Amino acid sequence: MKNNGYDAWLRYDKVKDDGLASQYREWTAEIVASEAAVEGPVASAIKELQLALPRLIGQTPKLVEEKAASKRFLAIGTLNSFSYVEEAVQGPIAALNDDEGYLLKTITAADCSYLVVTGKTERAVLYGVFHLLRLMAQGESIQSLQLAEQPKYRLRMINHWDNMDGSIERGYAGRSIFYRNNELLVDSPRIVDYARLMASIGINGIAINNVNVHRAETFLITDKLLPQVAQFAAIFRSYGIKLFLSVNYAATIELGEVDTADPLDPRVQEWWKQKAEQIYSVIPDFGGFVVKADSENRPGPFTYNRDHADGANMLGEALKPYGGLVLWRCFVYDCHQDWRDRSTDRARAAYDHFKPLDGRFLDNVILQIKNGPMDFQVREPVSPLFGAMPNTNAVMEFQITQEYTGQQRHVCFLIPQWKEVLEFDTKVKGDGSTVKEIAAGSIHPYAHSGITAVTNVGDDDNWTGHHLAQANLYGYGRLLWNPELSSEQIAEEWVRITFPDSDAVQQLLVKFLLESWSIYESYTSPLGVGWMVTPHYHYGPDIDGYEYSKWGTYHFADHKGIGVNRTVASGTGYTSQYEPEHAARYESLETCPDELLLFFHHVPYTHVLHSGKTVIQHIYDTHFAGVERVEYWIERWKELAGEVDEQRFAHISGRLQEQLENSKEWRDIVNTYFFRKSGIADEKGRTIY
């Protein structure tokens, strides 16, 4: 038996329980859909049912007219689209006031019984159908359904870092699904299947090119390529997804049409207005622009002594007549700064740049803020900028692609990390000002808010390089729909619909996924210090090697101690960017959490943690333990031989072996480095070279 992972969580394996299969056949033998369902998301929902049901229950549904329906059927359509839907909706249902909320309800009447999937928009109906199929794939009864759901976040977005030559920046799953050799793959069947995957987890926005927009990608907004970009947009539109593009801030210069990119120059303003008009003439529902400016050598308004508000608002004005958005990234810092000056702190950059501009941005501009103040490290505090600008729209940015967390060669289930971020209470408006509520627009009256993330998708057969990395992509969408889901619930759900119906497989994989983040952290970066990776590639250990640390390191280790002093009392003052309660907690050695100690403090190797261990012994112990935990899970995985299809079993086995070898490399290099720095031996007498 072979499985290359292409179907991901839309495998629709045959239902083994005869009773459930019979129930599903009864309720889905016939589909009654609104007459308008000839294209668009409802049409896509029907196609999905026609694909899924033969696999699940060996029965292809018949599409019938309302008047020709039998005594039991499935009715799908928007509110008020036909009588069966109207009868199902009795009384106020909160979810149905939302453009994307849906209702699944079983109706039993004297003359017929039917199952309704409905919502205010076609997009809502599509989400409801995917939910129904998810229930069936998990073996849940649909006999007496009464379920209404709506998403927590308005914008649920994916960012691709794909280049037109076919490469992907920070891509660990093959080449781009959109581009090859500066051509657009508009006829690739993968695009439709990718749209299906994204719609099934509720994604409603996708940017299809790299934020580091090179010259080739600039041409995506020209006469030559826009018609092909529009073909991508049409595919995504049929699955309820808006298409966005990353743009080069200096496109006016790159395309040789204006000799400046000054946002206050009328020629530049007019150029972007004409460009917006051109884009919307071929893509009427175009989502807008994603912009990285004045960071890591990218062009921006600083060149002209303007600020980020000037730059973002110029683009916002161009898009505003069409309802378009500008997502302006807050990943802004000077990569050439002198790290020998310990008062220069990259962690401060986003807050220092943007906080003074609160209230100056247009209402269709959204600041895109990374979850932490640095760069998607395995452990860092929540960015203090999130929630700190009550008068400026904001979205949280996560990273699904495992740039610093094993690059899809290591298992690292990121949902627990993201849950921790979302549950963080910023205190910006007192207790309850959690990140998850700020991102939902519940704390500040944002016109636009939500969450976005850099995806981990490429053209590998299994989409994500590592079969188990699919769990991060699936989990991201599910978490954005409902952040109250636990990490365990999401892991269980993904495993049940992606792997064989086996208790042994499901229990082992769920437990492994839930432990994997802490395993990866244990043999890599200790106590929040971060960055000890090979330059440029960001894979494997190089304690002093990060590319922007030629004037120093990010950990400031010497023979006396380790860590970055970010206190107000004697360091960079970064702690002051938090609300007073958190500022005080991080400022004090007594109250700073162990897992973030070295992010906030420079301490002696003999400093005793809350755990009772010294810092140096913690480093030794965790790095030895990390390798042992990988070895343990390799042995546990071997137990599933014969339970999991051969192709996936062999692939995961190979990746686990690579993870083991790399974890040993991390252990040996990190422990040796700090043994030689500190001169303090391992109290347990283990060999350190």
Side-chain angles (χ1 to χ4, degrees), residues 550-564:
K550 61 185 176 181
W551 294 296
T553 67
Y554 277 107
H555 54 72
F556 292 115
D558 54 26
H559 69 285
K560 295 180 180 179
I562 178 178
V564 184

Side-chain angles (χ1 to χ4, degrees), residues 528-571:
V529 72
W531 296 110
M532 301 189 301
V533 290
T534 304
H536 305 294
Y537 300 106
H538 301 171
Y539 181 77
D542 189 337
I543 312 305
D544 292 329
Y546 189 67
E547 57 259 42
Y548 296 143
S549 62
K550 61 185 176 181
W551 294 296
T553 67
Y554 277 107
H555 54 72
F556 292 115
D558 54 26
H559 69 285
K560 295 180 180 179
I562 178 178
V564 184
N565 183 351
R566 292 190 162 100
T567 66
V568 171
S570 57

Side-chain angles (χ1 to χ4, degrees), residues 19-40:
L20 278 174
S22 177
Q23 179 192 123
Y24 298 163
R25 290 190 196 99
E26 254 189 283
W27 287 101
T28 62
E30 294 179 351
I31 299 175
V32 177
S34 57
E35 292 181 6
V38 292
E39 61 180 13

